[in-house]
């Protein structure tokens, strides 16, 4: 049985199957894509939520130096793109990392990666649909036509927000109000979420909160993808032209308003501030791997897929860096922690027309990302179905439109339903961890096949540099920097030193009696408070780090509510310990196996970003994989084409 779990597909078998058709579904996909179309798909997938949303928070954390994080992430993605390109050239069929893993590691690992890709694309689509809804409702509310008496078209908060955000916002607002904060002083996101919950229609006490615009855009995009690759390509190309034109306009206008004083200090929060945005910035690059799912619809996949991936990353990285410099040059970095940083910046310098243009283009940008993601997932399911791991219906090709029709419709439902109630932050991080896992395995797959003489090679091969001369130096250099430049942080990590809990988490975790105790401690403070009402969260948040730590040390509240220590602290460090152990293993293998440097660096850098994500994301990802294994052993293992090979 163990051998069956790791049964592999040969490259020659995959190419032969592709040449003669797939069993009962011999209808082929239309070959309509060239390198320009693939580059456009990559830009469509990459330039979306990142440049219109997450770049703001990352800039607020890291300052102008966030450009180094964009460069680091782009390099990491480029290493992974090299690995994807080599596989795509070797195995030019739909399936992306799933198919590549089938060749390198065998069926069980292929199923795991295919299952994680299902999560990547589905949850990525949910994320983008929710972001699109936010921009679209914001755009509607800004429409003003005095002649018709229109002063903004307002979608009710309960009809434009997911259920979990509304519920969590209501609970968070309730805790902060109890701590002395007024509703007017709550941040916008919390106040809107609480309002959505409080104003929503109810049926038997159940609050009807659902993101209806997100549902509408998913239905439209699913219909477009169902109709065919040509229609999807034309729509994607048109949306890419629109958003590139707007980004170039932003750069052309914004550069004249840059004040270089805003770039000083360049890295206000140091390297830790820059790295704080890893998840947000990486999410900005998710999508280039979707290009590889279109391999069967390429005119010349072995030549064009590698070029399309590389051009997409180069163009998008250049634009990201330029935008980050312009944004942090026009306004101070610490004001950019907003959901729509581009529009916010031009509002700040009173260019309302530019702000409106950006809002319109953001709607197109989000839609184009959704289009590429929604196009990629059915092709993963189609490949898994062809191999017998999913029911045959998933590989059915529409006789007229030449698309995986059944898979496309199912994907529509899989994305549409959760988008009504899932929380944006949760799905963003889950999408990131699923994608990074795929990147790590694709890089590992190239290393596994590196010296296998029986593997049929494609036209593109990663340039070989022996990692044994570089990996040990990088490892030693990393340890030297950690124990010299960051000695305090490194020792705190190694010794599991107790960590004081943040003011917001601390205040919202207190019961009524504990909260009263904290307010009394605050009232005894030598600092003069304005007004009679004590806002515990605001007071504690405004203290300097040393003052806050001193206050917490003296507070009568139980230690477990003030500090994170022991197992509760250590468990969050588990991903980073995994990273360090794998770094040691990869260094050893580089020396004894003469591994290729680029895929080694790709594996290590993507694993690092994966380990920067919270432990809760690892747990969620683990649960998803466990569900996938149940599905595999219930159906895929039995009906796999490799268990009953055709004569």
């Amino acid at each position: 049985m163990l051998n069956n779990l790791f049964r592999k597909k040969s490259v020659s078998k995959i190419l032969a199957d592709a040449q003669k058709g797939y069993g009962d579904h011999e209808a082929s996909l239309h070959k309509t894509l060239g390198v320009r179309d693939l580059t456009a798909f990559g830009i469509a997938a990459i330039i979306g939520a990142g440049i219109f949303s997450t770049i703001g928070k990352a800039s607020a954390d890291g300052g102008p130096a966030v450009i180094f994080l964009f460069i680091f992430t782009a390099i990491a993605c480029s290493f992974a793109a090299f690995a994807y390109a080599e596989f795509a050239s070797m195995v030019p069929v739909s399936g992306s990392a799933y198919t590549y893993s089938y060749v390198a590691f065998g069926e069980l690992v292929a199923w795991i990666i295919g299952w994680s890709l299902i999560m990547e694309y589905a949850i990525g689509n949910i994320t983008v649909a929710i972001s699109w809804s936010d921009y679209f409702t914001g755009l509607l509310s800004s429409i003003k036509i005095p002649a018709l008496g229109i002063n903004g078209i307002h979608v009710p908060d309960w009809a434009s927000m997911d259920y979990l955000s509304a519920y969590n916002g209501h609970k968070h607002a309730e805790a902060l109000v109890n701590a002395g904060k007024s509703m007017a002083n709550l941040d916008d996101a919390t106040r809107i979420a609480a309002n959505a919950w409080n104003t929503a229609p109810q049926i038997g006490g159940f609050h009807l909160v659902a993101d209806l615009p997100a549902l509408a855009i998913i239905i439209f995009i699913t219909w477009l993808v169902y109709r065919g690759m040509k229609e999807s390509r034309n729509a994607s190309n048109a949306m890419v032209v629109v958003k590139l034109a707007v980004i170039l306009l932003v750069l052309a206008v914004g550069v004249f308003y840059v004040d270089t004083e805003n770039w000083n200090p360049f890295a206000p929060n140091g390297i830790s501030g820059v790295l704080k945005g890893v998840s947000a910035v990486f999410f900005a690059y998710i999508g280039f791997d979707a290009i590889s799912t279109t391999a069967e619809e390429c005119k010349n996949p072995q030549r064009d897929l590698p070029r399309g991936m590389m051009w997409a990353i180069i163009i998008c990285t250049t634009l990201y860096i330029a935008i980050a410099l312009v944004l942090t040059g026009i306004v101070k970095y610490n004001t950019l922690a907003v959901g729509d940083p581009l529009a916010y910046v031009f509002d700040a310098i009173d260019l309302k027309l530019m702000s409106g243009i950006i809002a319109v283009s953001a709607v197109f940008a989000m839609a184009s990302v959704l289009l590429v993601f929604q196009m990629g997932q059915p092709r993963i399911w189609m490949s898994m179905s062809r191999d017998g791991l999913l029911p045959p219906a998933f590989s059915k090709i529409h006789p007229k439109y030449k698309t995986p029709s059944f898979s496309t419709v199912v994907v529509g439902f899989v994305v549409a339903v959760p988008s009504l109630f899932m929380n944006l932050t949760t799905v963003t991080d889950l999408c990131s961890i699923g994608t990074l896992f795929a990147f790590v395995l694709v890089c590992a797959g190239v290393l596994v096949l590196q010296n296998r003489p029986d593997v049929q090679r494609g036209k593109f091969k990663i340039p070989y540099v022996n990692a044994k001369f570089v990996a040990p130096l990088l490892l030693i250099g990393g340890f030297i920097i950690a124990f010299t430049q960051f000695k305090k942080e490194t020792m705190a990590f190694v010794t599991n030193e107790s960590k004081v809990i943040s003011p917001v988490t601390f205040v919202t975790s207190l019961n009524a009696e504990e909260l009263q105790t904290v307010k009394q401690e605050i009232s005894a403070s030598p600092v003069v408070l304005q007004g009679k009402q004590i806002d515990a969260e605001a007071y504690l948040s405004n203290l300097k780090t040393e003052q806050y730590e001193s206050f917490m040390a003296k507070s009568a509240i139980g230690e477990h509510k003030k500090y994170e220590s022991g197992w509760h602290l250590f468990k969050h460090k588990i991903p980073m310990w995994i990273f360090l152990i794998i770094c040691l293993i990869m260094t050893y293998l580089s020396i004894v196996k003469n591994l290729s440097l680029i895929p080694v660096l790709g594996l290590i850098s993507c694993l690092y970003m994966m380990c920067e994500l919270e432990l809760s994301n690892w747990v969620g990802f683990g649960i998803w994989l466990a569900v996938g294994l149940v599905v595999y052993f219930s159906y895929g293992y039995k009906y796999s084409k490799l268990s009953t090979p055709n004569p």
Side-chain angles (χ1 to χ4, degrees), residues 359-412:
V360 173
S361 67
V363 170
F364 281 99
M366 299 291 185
S368 68
V369 178
L370 189 62
L371 174 66
V372 176
F373 274 46
Q374 201 75 347
M375 180 186 66
Q377 186 174 345
R379 285 153 179 79
I380 301 289
W381 291 17
M382 178 184 71
S383 296
M384 296 174 78
S385 174
R386 286 171 170 176
D387 295 328
L389 303 185
L390 288 176
F394 284 93
S395 55
K396 183 178 180 181
I397 305 298
H398 195 282
K400 179 180 178 182
Y401 301 130
K402 304 298 183 185
T403 57
S405 51
F406 179 78
S407 292
T408 301
V409 172
V410 173
V411 165

Side-chain angles (χ1 to χ4, degrees), residues 266-282:
F266 199 72
N269 298 317
I271 189 69
S272 60
V274 173
L275 292 176
K276 195 175 179 181
V278 161
S279 176
V281 169
F282 174 73

Side-chain angles (χ1 to χ4, degrees), residues 38-58:
L38 294 168
T39 303
F41 273 135
I43 295 171
I46 297 171
I47 295 184
I51 209 159
F52 286 98
S53 180
T54 57
I55 194 173
K57 180 66 169 65

Side-chain angles (χ1 to χ4, degrees), residues 412-428:
F413 279 102
V414 167
V415 176
V417 175
S419 69
L420 296 173
F421 62 85
M422 283 194 75
N423 179 276
L424 182 61
T425 304
T426 302
V427 294
T428 301

Side-chain angles (χ1 to χ4, degrees), residues 467-524:
K468 77 176 181 182
F469 299 115
V470 181
L473 294 177
L474 291 176
L475 184 68
I476 294 168
F479 278 115
I480 290 173
I481 292 172
F483 283 97
T484 54
Q485 301 297 314
F486 303 100
K487 184 176 180 179
K488 182 180 177 182
E489 295 88 341
T490 303
M491 292 309 297
F493 176 84
V494 173
T495 60
N496 204 38
E497 183 180 308
S498 296
K499 180 181 176 184
V500 67
I501 288 173
S502 70
V504 175
T505 305
F506 172 64
V507 169
T508 54
S509 70
L510 302 176
N511 59 37
E513 185 180 339
E514 291 169 332
L515 191 55
Q516 191 58 38
T517 300
V518 170
K519 286 184 178 181
Q520 288 172 357
E521 292 171 344
I522 291 173
S523 64

Side-chain angles (χ1 to χ4, degrees), residues 605-626:
S605 54
C606 290
L607 182 64
Y608 171 76
M609 290 190 285
M610 192 174 173
C611 293
E612 280 289 331
L613 296 173
E614 290 290 332
L615 180 66
S616 58
N617 299 303
W618 285 66
V619 173
F621 184 54
I623 292 171
W624 174 256
L625 291 184

Side-chain angles (χ1 to χ4, degrees), residues 126 130 158 160-168 197 206-212 214-215 218 413-424 426-427:
I126 294 166
I130 294 171
W158 59 265
S160 57
M161 179 174 291
D162 62 278
Y163 184 90
L164 288 178
S165 288
Y167 176 75
N168 292 337
W197 182 263
F206 180 80
H207 293 247
L208 294 175
V209 182
D211 199 335
L212 299 183
L215 176 65
I218 290 168
F413 279 102
V414 167
V415 176
V417 175
S419 69
L420 296 173
F421 62 85
M422 283 194 75
N423 179 276
L424 182 61
T426 302
V427 294

Side-chain angles (χ1 to χ4, degrees), residues 20 644-647:
K20 67 182 181 181
T644 54
N646 294 323

